[in-house]
Structure formats: C-alpha cells, structure tokens
Amino acid sequence: MTAIDPHDYLAVDDELEDSERDLRDTVRAYATTELLPQVNEWYERGELPRHVAKELGALGLLGMQLTGYGCAGASGTAYGVVCRELEAVDSGLRSLVSVQGSLAMTAIHRWGDEEQRQEWLPRMATGDALGCFGLTEPSSGSDPGSMRTTARRDGDDWVLNGSKTWITNGTIADVAVIWAGTEDGIRAFLVPTGTAGYSATEIRQKLSLRASISTDILLEDVRVPSSAILPHAPGLGAALSCLNEARFGILWGTIGAARACYAAALEYTGNREQFGRSLASFQLSQRKLAYMVVEITHASMTAMRLAQLKKAGTLRPEQISLGKLANARSAIEVARSARTMLGANGLTLAHPVMRHMSNLEAVLTVEGTEEIHELVIGRSITGVQAFR
Ligand code: TGC
Ligand code: FAD
C-alpha cells in the first residue's frame, strides 16, 4: 500500500498534470532556496525588493494565466499551484503576483485595446514594468461602486481627481490602473505613474503583509490622453472580473501559508520534549495536528474542484467567493493553532508561523472581506441581496 504523505494527506496533487507538477517543483525549489532565506529581513524592513519581480518574470510567473504578449497561457491550476508555493513562503510574494498578473495585467489584457496591450503587457510579463490596481478609496472599500474619484473630459483629454488607498505597489509601479467615475459610469484609465499630478506615499507601521508595499495614491488634475481609457471596460463589473482572477489565486495561495504553519508545528512538536515526552506524543497535540490536516485537505480539494470548474469554463464568481472565504478562514485558524504549539518560540521570526498568521489577517480582508463573501454566497442561495 502507498504510504500517506503527511503534507498531502489525500494525495490531491496527484490530480495535477505532469507540466503542473514540474512547475510546482520548480517554483517550490526557487521559493525555498532564493526567497525563504531573505523573507524575514524583508518582513522586518517592510519591503519587497523590486528584483524579485524580475526573477518571477524570468520564471514566467507574471500574468502566466494570460495568452500572448509574452505571457505563458498556463492553466488556472498551474497559476493556483504557483500562488500556493509562493504563499508558502510569504503572502506578500503571492500578492505581488496577484496584483501584477490577475489585476493590472488582466485589466489591460481583457479590457484594453491592442495598442495598450502591446505597450504594457510584454514588459509587465518580464517584470521590467510594474502595475498597480487602484480601486479602493478612503471612503469606498467593500463598496467600490461608491467611489468618489472622477474622470472628466477636457477636449481630447481626460482629467482625473481623487484618492485611492491601500493600493499595493503604488509607489514603485510604472503604470496605475485607476478606476474612476465618469458621466457614463465607472471606467478604468492607464496612468503612467510619472504623469504630473500622480503622487503615492507608503502606508507605514503596517503589522500585516509587511513584505508588500501598500500605498495611498493622490490624483490631482491628472491629465491623460483619450487613449488612456481602457475602451472595453463596461463598468464596475470589469473591475470585479479582475478580482475573480485574484481571488482564485488567493484561495490556492492560502493553502501554502497553512501548509507552512502545519509543517512548522509538526516538526517542532516532534523535536521538543516536555514532561519527558515529545510534544507530538500528547493526545491534545495530535488533535491539533489532525485538525490542521483536515483543514488543509478540505482547502486543497476545494481549490482543485474550483480549478476543474475554471478549466471547464463554468466557474462562477459566487463559487470563487466560497473558496476565498473558506480557504482564507481555514488558513488563519491553522496558523493560530500552529502558533500555540510552538509556545513562546512561535512568537518570533525564527519560525514562520506568526508571520503567516499576521499576514493572513490582511488576506482575510483583501479581495473582499469574510462578510462580503458571506453576503455574495447568501445572495446566490437566497436570491436576496443583503449588502444595502
Ligand atoms: P453589483 O450590483 O453586485 O454588481 C455590479 C456589476 O458587476 C457585476 N459583478 C461582477 N462581475 C464579475 N465578477 C464579479 N465577481 C461580479 N460581481 C458583480 C454585476 O453583474 C453588475 O454588472 P451589471 O452589468 O449588472 O452592472 O455590485 P455591488 O455594488 O452591489 O457590489 C457587489 C460586491 C459588494 C460583491 C462588490 O462590490 C465586491 O466584491 N466588493 C468587495 C471589494 C473588493 O474585493 N475589493 C478588492 C480591491 S483589490 C485588492 O484588494 C487587492 S489586494 C492584493 C492581493 O491580492 O493580495
Ligand atoms: P470596509 O469596507 O470599511 O469594511 C470594514 C468592515 O465592515 C469589514 O469587516 C467588512 O466586512 C464590514 N462590512 C462592510 N460592508 C458590510 C456589509 N454590507 N455588511 C456587513 N459587514 C460589512 N485595494 C485595491 O484597490 N488595490 C490594491 O492593490 C489593494 N491592496 C491591498 C493590500 C492590503 C495589504 C490591504 C489590507 C488592502 C488592500 N486593498 C487594495 C484594499 C482592500 O481591498 C480593502 O481593504 C477591502 O476591500 C475592504 O475594504 P475596507 O478596508 O475599506 O473595509
């Protein structure tokens, strides 16, 4: 009989195609040898060096699920596995890939014209150009439809005014995808970050997702040509369609964070003795470990099923909401449980658990909070919206 892998209890990865398994191994090896040894330093300093984007680009991981323009045209499953392997190191790394590939590049690929795609996508795929995605505003988070940023016509130009907040990479991006209200509803604009009137500042003293740059963006009479509008984006739904892609990556990524916490707890409790026995030999420890394995396995099966639906072309946003909600929630519970098992030592960066646990607080909030996804599911099963 085949032995059980404690890190993939139901052998869910057997569902991967050979190329997806190869990619998993490549990204896991890169992430473990090149990123993991440095991540604590980045976390403490509150940064993610730009060369990481170039390395991820060289591996073909930026916008990897898109086709053409230097993008790999990979399967949803492959993208999910990459998110999982990167987030096993740190959620900030997965976030970089999400914002660049699923948000900024997807917006341009899906809603831009040929000229805009040619101008930006090849450079973004290599990591030579970075994008950010400006949807959230100081007074519009869960309810982006209430945004106050405006774009008004002035001759052949558009003039943007307003502010965005919590925008990942706003200070280091080359191009910002800015969502703004126009006379015809919400539209997206490509704003090169060197444009006069665009300014971004870092949000400091952040206690979660520290290896990721979060920013405020101010738009003061930012004048862009008529060619800056993404012509095919019909309204808020265009922004939300990009979020679907990023949420899909998160529901895979969180499994990586949970797996890393579980692995740390398993190793630590196997090695440390109290009361003359290893911590792993106590029934209460084993219950916690079994709980983690159940959560990680359920999350993995959910992710794999959603990837199958994506491949079949039938995946619905409401189903992605279930995955994002369930997998982010279960990952943070696994992290919290793992933290207890490491005792005081679990509180420092010497072990990855508290870092993941803290990151997962942000992951619960980004791309739709727990409550928003509950309401999305609630609306889909009752037919009644309870947002407002
Ligand atoms: P609602 O009336 O439901 O919809 C407006 C229009 O959008 C369509 N739509 C969607 N289309 C595609 N995908 C979806 N998921 C969609 N959800 C809705 C809808 O059909 C409609 O189209 P139409 O043609 O009829 O106009 O909109 P609402 O104002 O009631 O809001 C719904 C709600 C609350 C679910 C939505 O606004 C929402 O998802 N809020 C959460 C906001 C959010 O997630 N923001 C994330 C910002 S980006 C980010 O966090 C990056 S973090 C970096 C990282 O990944 O680590
Ligand atoms: P709010 O919407 O103010 O919500 C506060 C609380 O109220 C939550 O618990 C929420 O669930 C609850 N709530 C809200 N409405 C309801 C309701 N109808 N019923 C019940 N409860 C409700 N945004 C971008 O556009 N681009 C980015 O790149 C980006 N990166 C981010 C990176 C980080 C690290 C973080 C933390 C955020 C980022 N965001 C980004 C913003 C993120 O998408 C928002 O924080 C998120 O959508 C929630 O909005 P909010 O923080 O304003 O919370």
Side-chain angles (χ1 to χ4, degrees), residues 35 48 52 56 61-62 79-103 168 209 211-212 245-257 324 328 359-360 362-364 366-367:
L35 302 175
L48 188 58
V52 175
L56 296 172
L61 307 183
L62 299 177
Y79 173 55
V81 165
V82 166
C83 288
R84 186 185 70 184
E85 298 308 323
L86 292 176
E87 195 148 358
V89 174
D90 195 89
S91 301
L93 295 161
R94 192 272 311 143
S95 185
L96 172 64
V97 166
S98 297
V99 170
Q100 179 82 346
S102 287
L103 297 180
T168 304
L209 217 68
S212 174
E245 302 303 321
R247 289 168 179 171
F248 179 82
I250 289 182
L251 71 90
W252 275 88
T254 46
I255 300 166
K324 198 276 178 178
N359 283 340
L360 287 164
V363 176
L364 271 182
V366 303
E367 300 284 357

Side-chain angles (χ1 to χ4, degrees), residues 12-29 61 64-65 73-85 248 252 259 303-304 306-308 310-312:
V12 179
D13 269 13
D14 285 4
E15 297 291 314
L16 298 178
E17 291 175 7
D18 287 347
S19 62
E20 293 162 348
R21 202 170 294 116
D22 289 348
L23 183 65
R24 173 198 67 185
D25 295 343
T26 302
V27 176
R28 189 179 289 182
L61 307 183
M64 61 181 281
Q65 70 283 27
S75 68
T77 316
Y79 173 55
V81 165
V82 166
C83 288
R84 186 185 70 184
E85 298 308 323
F248 179 82
W252 275 88
R259 189 186 73 198
M304 197 59 88
L306 291 173
Q308 287 166 351
K310 193 171 175 48
K311 189 175 181 186

Side-chain angles (χ1 to χ4, degrees), residues 351-362:
H351 299 275
V353 178
M354 184 90 179
R355 177 168 51 78
H356 280 300
M357 188 176 120
S358 161
N359 283 340
L360 287 164
E361 288 291 346

Side-chain angles (χ1 to χ4, degrees), residues 91 94-96 98-99 103 133 135-136 141-146 166 168 209 235-244 246-247 250 317-318 321 363 365-369 372-373 376 379 385 387-388:
S91 301
R94 192 272 311 143
S95 185
L96 172 64
S98 297
V99 170
L103 297 180
F133 187 86
L135 182 65
T136 304
S142 298
D143 180 17
S146 67
W166 284 105
T168 304
L209 217 68
L236 180 61
L240 297 175
S241 81
C242 301
L243 301 187
N244 294 335
R247 289 168 179 171
I250 289 182
E318 298 86 345
S321 280
V363 176
T365 293
V366 303
E367 300 284 357
T369 64
I372 288 303
H373 290 298
V376 168
R379 177 172 63 182
Q385 74 87 6
F387 292 104
R388 46 178 70 82

